[in-house]
Amino acid sequence: MLLISGLTKHYASAEGPVEVLKGIDFQLRSGESVALTGESGSGKSTLLHLAGGLDRPDAGTINLNGKDVTNLDDKQRAGYRRYQVGMIFQQFNLIPSLDVASNISFHARLAGRHDPLWQEQLVEALGLSLLLTRYPEQLSGGQQQRVAIGRTLAAKPSLVLADEPTGNLDEATGDNVLDLMLLLTRSAGLALLMVTHSSRLADRLDRKVILRGGKIVA
Amino acid sequence: MSGIAFWALISHWRRKPLQFATLILGVALATALWTGVQAINAEARASYARAASVLEQNELTQLVPRDGAVIPIATYARLRRDGWAVSPVIEGEYRVGTIRLRLIGIDPLTAPPGTGVSPIGNGKDLVDFISVKGRLIVSPTTARALQGKVDIALNVSDSLPDNAAFADISVADRLLQRKGSVTRLVVSPGRKISAAALSAIDPELQIREAGEQPDVARLTDSFHLNLTAFGFLSFIVGLFIVYAATGLSLEQRRATFRTLRAVGVSLRSLVAMLIFELTLFALASGVIGVVAGYFLATALMPGVASSLRGLYGAAVPGVVTLRPEWWVSGLAIAMIGTAMASANNFLQIWRMPILVAAQAQAWARMSVFALRAQAIVGAALLCLAAILIEVGSGLITGFTVLGCLLLGCALLLPSVLSLVLGLIARRSAEPLTKWFWADTRLQMPGLSMALMALLLALSANIGVGTMVSSFRTTFLGWLDQRLAAELYVTARDETEASRLRQWLPGRVKAVLPIWNVEGQVLGQSLQIFGVADDATYRDEWPVLVGTDNVWEEVTAGRGALINEQLWRGKKLFVGQPLALPNGLNVVIAGVYSDYGNPAGQVIIGIKTLERYFPEVSKLRYGLRVDPMREETVRNLLVHEFGLPATSIVDQAALKRQSRAVFEQTFLVTGALNVLTLAVAGFAMFSSLLTLSAVRLPQLAPVWAMGLRRRDLAIAELARTLALWTATFVAAIPLGLGLAWVLLTIINVEAFGWRLPMQIFPLDWLRLGAIALLAALVSMAIPVWRLATLLPAQLLTVFANER
């Protein structure tokens, strides 16, 4: 499903170019959940951003569902993010001026895949039924992250990319959110690539990939 | 563009209604002031054009005398014989009692078609018009004023301006005593006239091409430029508000932009949506602005009409018509203004990389580099102003100097304040004081636009206020000198005037004839007055420069006094020979100030005037009377001559009238001053509101360290007041500089007279009090919000969830 090969990326810095990813080869199948771990600066988030079409690699290819998405232009990459990928961020990134119901349906409507029944099931499963008319600023961190998960899953993307989705939450809330995320992605048959620092959380996913110095070491 | 994404984007405003109102009002205010002023200008110019079209026939090519004199009838006859399709026109001032008419005599038989006025036409009207008794065609108002005062039948035409009359050329020749000479020749449309061919027939004639600006339009250019400058200033101040409001809205939505892009909205699409959003807002507020501009123009128009009448004698209707082109230009200016104010913010969005985390307060942050660059541009503009003062001339240069001075100082203000605040902060030992000043300095970038707007508005107020007050003081002093006679009497006809001349001596201390003729001097039409040999003039008349025995030379017929306008306009000098009409040659003996008069003026001795201009109307007199006998003389005049009360005016009434005209003249300037200040106050409010929205992370740590919310609110209040005071202090020298430019450059260029500059500190205090009130009102909501902040809101700063 997601096929990454020879992916290289470097950034400019005051000390000269820094190579963040050094020829990454990686594969993710449909319905599979993979934890991407490693030390800070190992390239986890960069890999996630490249896979999500937020950034362009210097070399290598990214292929999703048989289609090469490496060198898409800005408009095509926007379409890729809209129709193929769902992203969950550590900072939630909800739209502050929309209420919970509108936030959840937002990506799905944008992608033209709004399914009220599926959204209702998600809202129920995420325990957001009583919060639908609230605004993000009126929610706790855990509640906001549940809305972010709901927004991503409501759009039914084939690939879910999560960048430390529980990083801002306490352990119990984090576990709860992860349980929901795994349950829902598995039940919908979605592929999940999740960046996390926590070995404990990583162990709960199907597979674990460790990055070190821009290379996959395990 | 996606509907759902656009909805998400504009949902921001639903949650920020006050900010939304600020943006809409900012654009609307800027548009209203600009379109209001433009509407006034357009209305006045349309009026000049109408008058020029009817009275001066400026849509046709004309032949005029090169030296400004008259064209002998023989020249006209020769041109006609040579096949030139020209028609004669006589123009001059005709007095009917106290009414001055601009009389235009035309020959309807040779006049190009379509250049006459409506009642002439053909048939009986034409026969009546060219009959020996003739007809006067006048406006309805003039007809009412002339009723029973002239022995010529009156016809009414709506297309004529007031105080003007059309007559057959023979009637005009008789009334104006032109004895066969004509003022100009109108050329039939479509006939080409070459300068060479004209020169061969009569080298004294020159061609005035069709469509040239009417004289009054040229005269009033400065007034309209002044209004435009005010409108533009308000427009710029309004744009500051838009800049602050859009900047904040984009700042607050940075996270939303990132999310939108992350879920598949392209950058192009995002920017297109933002432009669409702002276009919608600009259109909506543009409509509000144009409507408000119409009401503003309607409110100010009577004042403007009065000013134009008082200053230039231009007749402009006191009403404004809502024109379709207003809508177009008003909406266009709203869109252009919004685009200008938001361009930089959009550029930031365009350049914003998708992966950069949403940074709070990036809007309120201005790099040291930007501040320095702004200061360099400001200093450069001040240098340019200094150079232009030294080497430049002309009205446009004057206004450029004004613009450079204002903008230069405004651009320098944030850097100077920042520098001063930094110094104070470094010198403060007590931690809270140090924090206060350092924090005040931190607010500078966010408040700089509002402070610049405030500086512009305050200095414009001080500058224009100083000019008007200087003018008022000088004018009133000058009025006391000029209106020295205790009574002014106007005879109804020459017979009555002759009786008065015989009756008055012995009953009053002195009789000062106020006789004048119109004549061409140095190529321009101006008034030539005669003065009696009387101590009143020697003692009272405001002579600016002159020979030691100026009055002796004038009364002896050797010398002439000229007014300041003529002196400056023609660059004349004392001792220079001056050729007056009818072969009268004199030497310029002195120059007198003549405020409020747009035209040049010459004074010669009364005997000389009578000798060289025997046709002079001798109806008006100033009477020097013992104040105790003033009432007696007045009653005697009424009883002996049966003069109506309106024919006798006392000095106090005349001064009262003159003062009323003066105050009315500057009413519009005062109104625009207040409006500009109001817009600046709103800009301050908008910026403070904006800042209060991003201040939380800066204030929460101080609150956590033991300062009460009330203390924070007081500190905010004190901070705003400190910045306001600094801006006000800076506005005083800038305002005085502005007044200096207005008085020594612009007034001289525009009106031809120079006024001494006077300082009025009490006016500053009054302005300061008003501006302080505006500042207090503008900070009321932001400070109230801070004082009533819930602890939970402050705590969110320390929570990761923020």
Side-chain angles (χ1 to χ4, degrees):
Chain A
M1 190 218 162
L2 175 68
L3 191 64
I4 287 172
S5 66
L7 209 61
T8 306
K9 180 74 182 172
H10 75 267
Y11 290 114
S13 75
E15 292 80 31
V18 178
E19 202 165 17
V20 186
L21 296 178
K22 299 170 181 171
I24 299 286
D25 295 312
F26 173 73
Q27 199 173 349
L28 178 67
R29 289 184 298 277
S30 295
E32 189 184 19
S33 64
V34 173
L36 199 55
T37 64
E39 295 162 358
S40 294
S42 60
K44 305 184 297 291
S45 291
T46 302
L47 180 57
L48 204 73
H49 292 154
L50 292 175
L54 292 170
D55 205 356
R56 281 201 177 97
D58 295 331
T61 58
I62 303 166
N63 193 301
L64 184 70
N65 296 330
K67 192 180 172 192
D68 188 356
V69 294
T70 320
N71 291 310
L72 301 178
D73 62 23
D74 185 61
K75 191 178 173 190
Q76 290 165 328
R77 283 196 296 149
Y80 169 67
R81 293 196 298 270
R82 183 183 295 201
Y83 301 110
Q84 308 283 337
V85 183
M87 301 197 79
I88 302 167
F89 300 94
Q90 185 178 357
Q91 298 291 345
F92 326 130
N93 285 351
L94 300 178
I95 296 174
S97 52
L98 296 181
D99 61 19
V100 168
S102 302
N103 259 296
I104 292 174
S105 66
F106 184 74
H107 193 173
R109 284 180 190 274
L110 203 63
R113 286 200 289 258
H114 178 50
D115 179 350
L117 197 67
W118 171 230
Q119 182 169 326
E120 205 178 306
Q121 289 169 0
L122 280 173
V123 166
E124 191 66 36
L126 290 163
L128 296 170
S129 304
L130 297 174
L131 306 175
L132 290 175
T133 55
R134 290 205 191 167
Y135 284 86
E137 66 188 28
Q138 298 166 320
L139 303 178
S140 70
Q143 287 168 333
Q144 286 195 58
Q145 195 57 295
R146 279 189 275 152
V147 176
I149 291 167
R151 179 179 67 188
T152 300
L153 298 183
K156 295 182 188 167
S158 48
L159 173 64
V160 175
L161 301 169
D163 193 356
E164 299 199 47
T166 58
N168 269 337
L169 308 176
D170 62 74
E171 197 172 295
T173 311
D175 283 349
N176 188 16
V177 165
L178 186 64
D179 287 344
L180 278 168
M181 203 160 69
L182 288 173
L183 175 72
L184 291 168
T185 48
R186 277 169 187 159
S187 64
L190 308 178
L192 170 68
L193 179 61
M194 183 179 91
V195 168
T196 180
H197 274 115
S198 163
S199 307
R200 190 178 63 79
L201 292 180
D203 288 340
R204 297 181 53 196
L205 271 62
D206 297 340
R207 192 150 63 90
K208 185 161 74 172
V209 170
I210 302 170
L211 274 178
R212 188 172 299 142
K215 287 182 177 172
I216 293 177
V217 291
Chain B
M1 202 171 80
S2 157
I4 182 77
F6 184 65
W7 173 247
L9 208 59
I10 61 165
S11 62
H12 165 81
W13 300 104
R14 209 175 33 167
R15 306 272 296 157
K16 310 275 180 196
L18 201 58
Q19 204 178 316
F20 179 67
T22 309
L23 176 64
I24 295 287
L25 268 175
V27 183
L29 273 173
T31 313
L33 282 162
W34 177 254
T35 53
V37 162
Q38 291 308 315
I40 290 170
N41 286 348
E43 201 64 51
R45 288 198 176 114
S47 166
Y48 308 148
R50 271 198 306 276
S53 165
V54 177
L55 300 179
E56 291 171 20
Q57 295 144 313
N58 75 333
E59 287 155 3
L60 297 170
T61 304
Q62 301 183 14
L63 304 182
V64 292
R66 200 173 286 280
D67 62 358
V70 290
I71 306 172
I73 196 75
T75 307
Y76 164 62
R78 198 163 71 242
L79 285 166
R80 289 293 297 191
R81 274 200 304 275
D82 287 358
W84 292 58
V86 290
S87 179
V89 176
I90 290 180
E91 189 181 335
E93 189 184 281
Y94 179 60
R95 269 191 119 113
V96 182
T98 53
I99 304 165
R100 288 176 185 215
L101 279 183
R102 183 175 176 185
L103 181 63
I104 292 139
I106 58 165
D107 175 14
L109 301 175
T110 57
T115 56
V117 281
S118 52
I120 302 177
N122 293 308
K124 189 175 178 307
D125 284 335
L126 179 62
V127 173
D128 287 344
F129 187 75
I130 60 175
S131 65
V132 178
K133 280 207 79 177
R135 300 251 155 165
L136 283 184
I137 302 174
V138 291
S139 73
T141 315
T142 312
R144 277 194 295 278
L146 290 177
Q147 205 67 51
K149 291 182 181 156
V150 285
D151 55 1
I152 306 175
L154 298 175
N155 274 16
V156 172
S157 167
D158 289 327
S159 62
L160 272 182
D162 293 340
N163 298 324
F166 266 88
D168 180 61
I169 194 153
S170 61
V171 176
D173 182 76
R174 174 164 45 88
L175 295 175
L176 297 173
Q177 299 176 342
R178 287 297 166 88
K179 298 177 184 130
S181 59
V182 297
T183 312
R184 57 179 190 265
L185 296 168
V186 182
V187 182
S188 285
R191 297 298 180 100
K192 290 278 172 218
I193 297 229
S194 80
L198 182 66
S199 176
I201 292 176
D202 190 339
E204 294 303 311
L205 289 182
Q206 62 179 350
I207 301 167
R208 186 196 285 168
E209 291 298 341
E212 277 187 17
Q213 217 185 1
D215 287 348
V216 72
R218 271 200 301 273
L219 269 176
T220 53
D221 258 358
S222 56
F223 182 83
H224 294 296
L225 199 58
N226 194 5
L227 283 188
T228 307
F230 252 115
F232 188 65
L233 185 65
S234 301
F235 181 68
I236 294 291
V237 171
L239 292 194
F240 286 169
I241 302 173
V242 180
Y243 179 84
T246 51
L248 178 67
S249 83
L250 297 183
E251 178 65 39
Q252 286 170 333
R253 290 189 289 180
R254 269 172 173 252
T256 302
F257 298 158
R258 188 188 175 199
T259 306
L260 286 174
R261 291 192 63 191
V263 296
V265 175
S266 66
L267 179 62
R268 199 180 291 269
S269 186
L270 177 65
V271 173
M273 281 190 288
L274 287 169
I275 290 174
F276 182 64
E277 174 196 69
L278 218 55
T279 307
L280 277 184
F281 293 167
L283 275 174
S285 38
V287 169
I288 300 171
V290 172
V291 173
Y294 169 72
F295 284 112
L296 178 73
T298 305
L300 295 181
M301 199 62 202
V304 171
S306 172
S307 300
L308 290 167
R309 211 168 22 248
L311 282 173
Y312 308 98
V316 174
V319 288
V320 180
T321 326
L322 194 57
R323 295 162 194 270
E325 59 263 33
W326 269 27
W327 286 101
V328 178
S329 67
L331 293 180
I333 200 77
M335 309 265 278
I336 293 167
T338 311
M340 277 165 57
S342 355
N344 186 41
N345 291 321
F346 276 129
L347 206 64
Q348 280 182 18
I349 298 293
W350 185 256
R351 287 177 179 162
M352 187 177 82
I354 189 169
L355 288 173
V356 167
Q359 293 169 341
Q361 301 160 59
W363 164 81
R365 229 176 260 152
M366 190 188 275
S367 68
V368 175
F369 173 77
L371 215 61
R372 198 172 295 160
Q374 189 176 309
I376 290 169
V377 175
L381 284 172
L382 290 184
C383 290
L384 181 64
I387 292 167
L388 283 175
I389 288 171
E390 278 301 310
V391 301
S393 67
L395 202 58
I396 299 294
T397 306
F399 275 101
T400 311
V401 168
L402 212 63
C404 287
L405 194 67
L406 278 172
L407 201 60
C409 287
L411 288 173
L412 270 173
L413 180 75
S415 306
V416 173
L417 281 182
S418 188
L419 199 74
V420 173
L421 288 168
L423 282 173
I424 298 175
R426 269 200 292 280
R427 284 172 178 271
S428 304
E430 206 265 321
L432 263 181
T433 318
K434 200 176 184 71
W435 165 78
F436 175 82
W437 290 115
D439 195 52
T440 305
R441 193 180 179 209
L442 193 70
Q443 306 316 310
M444 278 307 302
L447 275 175
S448 66
M449 283 284 173
L451 292 173
M452 283 159 65
L454 191 66
L455 179 78
L456 290 179
L458 287 172
S459 52
N461 265 275
I462 292 172
V464 176
T466 303
M467 181 197 73
V468 173
S469 297
S470 296
F471 197 178
R472 186 184 285 111
T473 311
T474 311
F475 179 74
L476 294 181
W478 169 82
L479 212 58
D480 286 340
Q481 292 176 311
R482 280 288 286 261
L483 299 178
E486 284 73 20
L487 284 176
Y488 292 85
V489 59
T490 308
R492 281 167 293 189
D493 53 41
E494 208 43 63
T495 319
E496 194 171 67
S498 172
R499 280 181 59 212
L500 269 175
R501 284 197 296 275
Q502 287 168 6
W503 184 83
L504 283 168
R507 291 182 171 87
V508 294
K509 285 199 291 190
V511 181
L512 310 174
I514 306 172
W515 302 345
N516 69 300
V517 291
E518 196 177 302
Q520 296 286 329
V521 179
L522 300 167
Q524 70 180 58
S525 179
L526 42 75
Q527 303 282 331
I528 303 165
F529 279 82
V531 287
D533 186 4
D534 191 87
T536 304
Y537 296 110
R538 274 188 284 275
D539 298 342
E540 306 281 357
W541 206 263
V543 174
L544 294 174
V545 286
T547 55
D548 293 339
N549 45 357
V550 49
W551 291 105
E552 283 73 18
E553 286 182 30
V554 170
T555 51
R558 292 189 301 274
L561 274 158
I562 58 171
N563 69 355
E564 189 183 354
Q565 290 83 310
L566 185 64
W567 177 52
R568 289 190 192 277
K570 295 285 179 186
K571 298 189 169 53
L572 304 177
F573 54 89
V574 173
Q576 186 176 350
L578 186 68
L580 299 179
N582 300 350
L584 172 59
N585 290 300
V586 287
V587 170
I588 298 170
V591 179
Y592 61 95
S593 51
D594 189 18
Y595 306 121
N597 177 10
Q601 205 175 75
V602 178
I603 292 177
I604 55 176
I606 196 80
K607 287 179 183 154
T608 316
L609 184 79
E610 269 189 292
R611 192 161 64 246
Y612 282 86
F613 304 93
E615 76 282 6
V616 64
S617 168
K618 298 172 179 173
L619 303 180
R620 296 171 67 214
Y621 300 88
L623 309 178
R624 296 308 311 265
V625 188
D626 188 332
M628 303 294 285
R629 291 200 65 236
E630 200 181 301
E631 199 55 40
T632 317
V633 173
R634 177 195 278 271
N635 291 335
L636 278 171
L637 280 168
V638 171
H639 292 123
E640 289 282 327
F641 291 86
L643 280 174
T646 49
S647 289
I648 311 162
V649 183
D650 61 55
Q651 188 195 72
L654 212 53
K655 280 183 183 168
R656 213 167 33 242
Q657 280 171 17
S658 302
R659 277 176 199 161
V661 168
F662 179 89
E663 294 305 337
Q664 181 69 40
T665 300
F666 289 101
L667 215 60
V668 179
T669 315
L672 284 174
N673 252 338
V674 171
L675 286 170
T676 312
L677 196 62
V679 177
F682 193 72
M684 191 75 169
F685 165 72
S686 141
S687 293
L688 287 173
L689 199 68
T690 299
L691 269 187
S692 75
V694 294
R695 288 281 283 144
L696 218 54
Q698 294 164 5
L699 295 176
V702 193
W703 168 76
M705 283 183 270
L707 242 71
R708 291 171 302 173
R709 285 169 295 162
R710 202 186 65 181
D711 299 331
L712 290 175
I714 291 170
E716 285 296 285
L717 197 73
R719 188 185 331 279
T720 311
L721 285 181
L723 289 174
W724 172 88
T725 309
T727 308
F728 182 72
V729 168
I732 293 175
L734 177 58
L736 292 179
L738 188 68
W740 182 82
V741 174
L742 283 168
L743 289 168
T744 54
I745 301 177
I746 290 181
N747 269 7
V748 177
E749 294 289 347
F751 304 113
W753 64 69
R754 185 173 178 162
L755 295 160
M757 186 166 143
Q758 294 174 53
I759 310 280
F760 301 88
L762 273 179
D763 286 358
W764 307 344
L765 283 180
R766 203 181 55 217
L767 173 70
I770 295 169
L772 177 63
L773 194 69
L776 286 171
V777 170
S778 72
M779 70 177 93
I781 294 180
V783 169
W784 174 255
R785 274 186 174 179
L786 188 61
T788 55
L789 261 182
L790 295 172
Q793 287 171 291
L794 285 158
L795 278 171
T796 56
V797 173
F798 308 110
N800 283 330
E801 285 89 336
R802 235 194 126 260

